[in-house]
Structure formats: structure tokens, C-alpha cells
Amino acid sequence: MKIDKAEVIVTSPDRNFVTLKLTTDDGLTGLGDATLNGRELSVVAYLTEHIVPLLLGRDAHNIEDTWQFLYRSAYWRRGPVTMAAISAVDVALWDIKAKAAGMPLYQLLGGASRTGLLAYGHASGKSLNEVFDSVNSHLEQGFKAIRVQTGVPGLESIYGIASNKGLPGNEGVRYDHEPAQRGALPAEEDWDTRSYLRHVPTVFEAVRNEFGPELPLLHDGHHRMTPIQAAKLGKSLEPYDLFWLEDCTPAENQEALRLVRQHTTTPLAIGEIFNSIWDYQQIIREQLIDYVRSAVTHTGGITHLKKILEFAAQYQIKSGMHGPTDISPVGMAAAMHLGLAIHNFGIQEYMKHGDKTNAVFEQSYSWNNGMLHPGNKPGLGVELNVDEAGKYPYATAYLPYNRLADGTVHDW
Ligand code: CS2
Ligand code: MG
């Protein structure tokens, strides 16, 4: 079964997506998500110029060998662009192999270890009332776990707060938080960690009082605190029993988490911007995190993320796969198949895609009563409608960045 055709498809229904479509000489097709938010075209070039020529004629069944070939023959290893490109090839090959076997991918990955996948949604608001409204609307949608992001007094616009302003042409349409904004330049946002550290615990106290002790609550620190500030926040949130505090401090320096661990028992989740097992080696071995946040799309595909999660399982660390709207339905389906098969599944992030996106990517995964399921169609269960995709050309969009009051650039 030789790879006969490799297409890199770029479309921008509600936001930009990059998809690799492989076709074999006996007509089977496989899809892989290669969307790297705000840097999409770099992966398009990596795939089109450097990888596609290497794939044609290869045996589509040899997934591990193809992974190792793409990783080692590049000489230049790791990094978000390389690993997103390798991921797209890997997932497309797993899609093809499962279709050839006539079974849903999770069956090929060892079968189902559970009946469905607990998922969390994004509630947010500038004010407490807005936060309460958003939590209620997510409970009404069936979510059984909720991430809470709040505005901070004195800061104009910060990460994670949905707004009613909507996208150009979508004014007034409630618009869940899509961080990448279309435009020629990235938006500049302001930040102040001390006012954030004062405010966030008060919001979680109010949410607990309003919604009770059981509801799993999550929060994303989005890489903005120093290790001691992260330790302080983790400690001040302990009374509110968070499911996890995510990306509490930039983790390039993995041992920074030791200081956080010393001071708080709030569970820690990290890894959405990691892209290889090496980014996790120390924090897993030293038990410095509780959840692996990597997405299949950004971490070398199912082949590599499965190895990271198997390593994590030895330390009772669970999965918490990244799943915002910049992970395409192809990437979400791959996460669900892997999540259903592994033992150490923790929780799955789930931001619903827009109607245009759902028309481009025909999905067979389901959302029911707070649980996701990848479906039972052979392969991934997602097909790309090329004509529909063709309606939405790429649109330049950037993630915002932060400056502190004195003008210093800060982690966004
Ligand atoms: C976030 C993302 O969902 C999350 O946990 O951290 O929204 C992140 O900001 C985007 O994926 C960046 O592209
Ligand atoms: Mg995050």
C-alpha cells in the first residue's frame, strides 16, 4: 500500500487550519492536522517543500519507520514546526491503517479503556456575573468540568476572556475565546501579575460558593507567573480544590516546578507548547506535574504522544490533552481515539468549533452528557470536504502578546 498522493490543504472557515491528506495507490485516504496557531504557513512550507517529496512511494503501513525517518533524517530535531509536520504525517498514516483494518483507530491502539472521555469547557467573564453566566451556560451544554478564566480589574483585555465583540463580520455573535485575531499585526495586551494574584482566588471562592464543592474547576495561568508567584497562586487556590492549575510558569526551565511543588498541592498541568518527550523528561521523572497537556497535533502525532503518556503512566501522571479551537477536528478526533485507548486518561479539553468549520470537517465523534466519544467509523472518522474548504482562503492572524505597565514584553 504505497503513498500515491500528498496534499497540504489550508482553509480558514472560522479560523486557519492546515491539513495533510494522504492517498494510497489503492485509494485509501488519511488526514492529519498540522495547524500551528499564528504560524500556520511555516508548517505548510515544511510539509510542501520538504516532507511531501519524501512520502510519495513509501509503504503507508510503516508508521514507526516513517516517524523515525522524518525525525532523524531532518538532522534538525524537535521544535513546534517540525513536530507539527511529523504529527500530520503520523496521524494520516494511522487513519489509513485503521481504515485498511476496517476498524475505528482506538481499536487499533488497543481498544476502549472507558465508555467515553470526560471533557472540560471554557467558561469566562470580565465580571463575576459574566463568569457565573458562562459557567451556567456550560452546565446547560452538559459540561461536567469547567475551566474558569476571569477578567482582572485594571487590565483591559487578557487571555481567555470570551467577548461579545465577535469577529469582523460576526459583530454581536457571542464569541468564545479564539486567541488568534485576524489582522496584519499581533494585538498588544497589558498584564500585571500582582493584581491577577489578588483577584483570581476571590473569583474561585465565589464560584465554589455559587456552584458547590463537587464541580471540577480548572484554571489556566497561561505561562505568566514566576515560580514563586505560581507557588503563591497554587497555595491561595487550595481551599477551592481545583482539578488543575495549568501552565503556571514558563516550563522551558523544567526544575522551576520544584519550587511550585514545595509550596502547593494544587494539581499541575503543563505541556501544550511542548513538542517532544524531552520537554517532559525531568518534570515527569521528578513527579513535578500531574497532567500531560500535549496535543497529538503538536507532539509528533499519536506515535510520539503515546510514548510520552506511557512514560507518564509509570508516575501516575494522566493525560489532559490540549483541545482549543486551533486544534482542528482532525486533531481532536486523533486525541479522542488515543484518549479512549490509553489507561492513564485524565480529561480532554473541548472547545466547540464553529458551523463553517463543522461543514469543512465532517465528523463522526460525539458529545453527550459531558462525555466525548470518537465514534466507530473506520479510521479517525473525520473527512475533509475539499470544496467547502476551498471557500475559505487563508487569513493572516496572530496571537496577541503582552507588555507590562513599564513596556516590558511579558509571556502572553
Ligand atoms: C490555551 C489555548 O486552551 C488552552 O489551554 O492555552 O487557548 C492557547 O492559548 C491557544 O491554543 C494558543 O494557540
Ligand atoms: Mg492552556
Side-chain angles (χ1 to χ4, degrees):
M1 186 168 70
K2 297 227 170 308
I3 298 172
D4 212 32
K5 199 158 90 171
E7 301 157 89
V8 180
I9 299 155
V10 181
T11 181
S12 195
D14 300 296
R15 52 147 297 113
N16 297 321
F17 293 114
V18 177
T19 307
L20 177 70
K21 179 177 180 180
L22 299 183
T23 307
T24 65
D25 52 5
D26 51 11
L28 285 177
T29 61
L31 298 178
D33 178 24
T35 307
L36 190 63
N37 207 4
R39 296 290 185 274
E40 292 89 353
L41 298 183
S42 62
V43 187
V44 170
Y46 194 103
L47 282 167
T48 308
E49 305 301 332
H50 303 298
I51 291 218
V52 164
L54 305 182
L55 295 175
L56 302 177
R58 287 187 68 85
D59 184 338
H61 274 304
N62 298 344
I63 302 178
E64 180 70 33
D65 178 68
T66 298
W67 195 99
Q68 297 297 340
F69 169 65
L70 294 176
Y71 183 75
R72 295 174 193 281
S73 72
Y75 192 64
W76 313 105
R77 298 180 181 187
R78 298 193 279 174
V81 175
T82 299
M83 300 309 278
I86 292 177
S87 170
V89 176
D90 184 77
V91 172
L93 293 177
W94 277 109
D95 191 10
I96 286 169
K97 190 181 274 289
K99 284 178 178 172
M103 59 177 77
L105 179 49
Y106 72 83
Q107 290 292 14
L108 212 53
L109 296 172
S113 294
R114 52 200 55 79
T115 53
L117 305 167
L118 175 66
Y120 74 89
H122 286 199
S124 68
K126 265 188 171 282
S127 67
L128 205 47
N129 286 339
E130 269 195 21
V131 169
F132 285 1
D133 290 353
S134 186
V135 172
N136 276 320
S137 94
H138 280 80
L139 292 173
E140 281 145 27
Q141 293 171 49
F143 281 97
K144 299 278 184 286
I146 295 178
R147 184 187 88 163
V148 172
Q149 302 295 129
T150 175
V152 173
L155 298 180
E156 185 40 45
S157 66
I158 69 167
Y159 166 73
I161 311 304
S163 70
N164 287 329
K165 70 177 182 313
L167 273 176
N170 280 342
E171 275 72 13
V173 175
R174 176 141 188 86
Y175 182 65
D176 265 338
H177 175 67
E178 163 53 60
Q181 293 153 30
R182 290 174 174 159
L185 293 172
E188 183 178 308
E189 297 187 344
D190 49 3
W191 180 251
D192 177 69
T193 307
R194 294 188 65 247
S195 44
Y196 164 81
L197 290 177
R198 279 194 304 275
H199 185 61
V200 168
T202 68
V203 172
F204 276 90
E205 181 182 17
V207 170
R208 272 286 174 239
N209 292 341
E210 180 74 12
F211 296 96
E214 285 90 25
L215 180 63
L217 294 176
L218 303 84
H219 182 66
D220 194 339
H222 224 256
H223 327 271
R224 290 157 187 234
M225 290 165 273
T226 64
I228 198 64
Q229 291 169 333
K232 180 182 172 86
L233 181 64
K235 201 171 181 63
S236 61
L237 291 174
E238 280 174 12
Y240 315 116
D241 183 27
L242 263 63
F243 185 95
W244 79 34
L245 171 60
E246 175 188 340
D247 284 330
C248 59
T249 190
E252 289 99 324
N253 167 23
Q254 296 187 35
E255 67 189 41
L257 276 296
R258 287 186 190 150
L259 188 61
V260 183
R261 271 301 206 221
Q262 271 168 23
H263 291 281
T264 181
T265 57
T266 293
L268 301 177
I270 275 194
E272 72 179 48
I273 62 172
F274 286 176
N275 45 63
S276 88
I277 197 163
W278 311 106
D279 298 318
Y280 283 102
Q281 208 184 20
Q282 182 177 10
I283 55 178
I284 287 179
R285 215 182 39 234
E286 293 186 19
Q287 211 82 53
L288 298 177
I289 59 168
D290 305 287
Y291 296 92
V292 166
R293 276 286 285 148
S294 277
V296 170
T297 298
H298 297 136
T299 320
I302 284 173
T303 298
H304 195 57
L305 184 51
K306 192 166 184 295
K307 291 174 184 169
I308 295 173
L309 291 168
E310 282 159 4
F311 173 38
Q314 313 317 312
Y315 297 82
Q316 301 179 55
I317 294 170
K318 296 188 171 185
S319 73
M321 293 185 227
H322 191 213
T325 42
D326 50 289
I327 300 288
S328 86
V330 174
M332 284 302 292
M336 293 180 209
H337 282 281
L338 182 57
L340 200 69
I342 57 173
H343 175 66
N344 56 331
F345 172 81
I347 197 167
Q348 172 65 50
E349 178 178 10
Y350 180 44
M351 277 182 79
K352 294 179 179 167
H353 288 105
D355 298 344
K356 293 182 194 145
T357 298
N358 295 335
V360 170
F361 297 95
E362 291 146 11
Q363 304 139 36
S364 59
Y365 54 71
S366 61
W367 161 250
N368 185 13
N369 195 23
M371 304 293 275
L372 289 164
H373 191 284
N376 288 305
K377 274 212 175 138
L380 275 175
V382 177
E383 295 306 334
L384 190 148
N385 181 323
V386 177
D387 300 337
E388 200 60 28
K391 293 181 186 168
Y392 309 107
Y394 172 80
T396 304
Y398 283 98
L399 288 167
Y401 70 104
N402 270 338
R403 282 194 187 278
L404 304 179
D406 69 1
T408 309
V409 168
H410 189 74
D411 299 290
W412 176 78

